[in-house]
């Protein structure tokens, strides 16, 4: 199963240093029955894109909580065994988290299929969105518009081998 793990650039740098995306369980996003119902599509590529978008929003939440992280959303696409990614039974069919799964155990960065990162020119909109996120969550329509502005930026695709360049490491 392909899962999309939201991180920040410092989180990606740490994963590059340690060789894994954390010890688990990790929050990730995948094509789940809840995502299929929420997105209303049978096209697998569209559903994968929707899961990536949910992970990008989760990365934005991580940025909102870390004022020192560069204002670029980061999502790592990883292939894991089907049984390793499960929906959280305590959340039930949470309408606010379609596609959310928990990945048990450590996830080796070597299993990453790709990394998706905002371009430099998205940073201003992403910074504004991170700052507006709490108000948007509270129902502020203007703040939601600011958050949506970040979502208009497409994440760029990078191969796993390009991670050193993304995190500023010369490896």
């Amino acid at each position: 199963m392909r899962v999309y793990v939201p991180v920040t650039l410092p989180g990606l740098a740490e994963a590059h240093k340690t060789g894994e995306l954390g010890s688990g369980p990790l929050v990730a996003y995948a094509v789940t029955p809840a995502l299929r119902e929420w997105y209303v599509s049978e096209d697998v590529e569209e559903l994968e894109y929707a899961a990536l978008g949910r992970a990008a929003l989760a990365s934005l939440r991580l940025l909102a909580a870390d004022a020192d992280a560069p204002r670029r959303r980061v999502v790592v696409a990883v292939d894991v065994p089907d049984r390793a990614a499960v929906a959280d039974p305590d959340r039930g069919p949470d309408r606010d988290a379609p596609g959310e799964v928990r990945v048990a155990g450590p996830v080796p960065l070597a299993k990453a299929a790709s990394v998706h990162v905002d371009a430099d020119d998205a940073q201003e909109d992403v910074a504004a969105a991170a700052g507006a996120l709490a108000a948007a969550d509270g129902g502020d329509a203007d703040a939601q518009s600011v958050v949506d502005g970040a979502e208009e930026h497409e994440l760029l695709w990078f191969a796993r081998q390009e991670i050193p360049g993304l995190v500023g490491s010369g490896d």
Side-chain angles (χ1 to χ4, degrees):
M1 167 184 281
R2 170 128 329 148
V3 299
Y4 297 90
V5 181
V7 295
T8 61
L9 281 173
L12 184 62
E14 181 65 19
H16 176 64
K17 187 169 84 174
T18 65
E20 62 185 34
L21 281 166
S23 57
L26 296 175
V27 173
Y29 293 82
V31 176
T32 63
L35 184 84
R36 287 178 186 275
E37 184 177 319
W38 173 75
Y39 196 73
V40 191
S41 176
E42 291 302 316
D43 185 307
V44 174
E45 286 184 19
E46 285 182 17
L47 291 165
E48 294 273 346
Y49 186 75
L52 173 65
R54 300 303 297 168
L57 178 58
S59 178
L60 183 64
R61 291 187 183 289
L62 294 173
L63 291 174
D66 183 356
D68 294 330
R71 307 284 93 177
R72 294 170 71 188
R73 299 167 297 165
V74 180
V75 176
V76 181
V78 183
D79 294 319
V80 299
D82 287 347
R83 66 189 179 285
V86 296
D88 186 346
D90 294 332
R91 294 206 52 170
D94 189 340
R95 299 191 73 210
D96 292 331
E100 185 176 298
V101 295
R102 299 280 186 272
V103 179
V107 176
L109 193 56
K111 295 282 186 183
S114 57
V115 179
H116 305 266
V117 182
D118 274 311
D120 287 337
D121 67 356
Q123 289 186 84
E124 186 176 320
D125 288 339
V126 171
L133 197 55
D137 287 346
D140 183 318
D142 291 335
Q144 185 61 53
S145 179
V146 173
V147 172
D148 292 344
E151 292 178 4
E152 291 176 10
H153 291 276
E154 296 285 330
L155 297 179
L156 302 176
W157 183 96
F158 295 90
R160 179 181 69 241
Q161 297 82 347
E162 295 178 276
I163 291 173
L166 289 170
V167 299
S169 162
D171 306 312

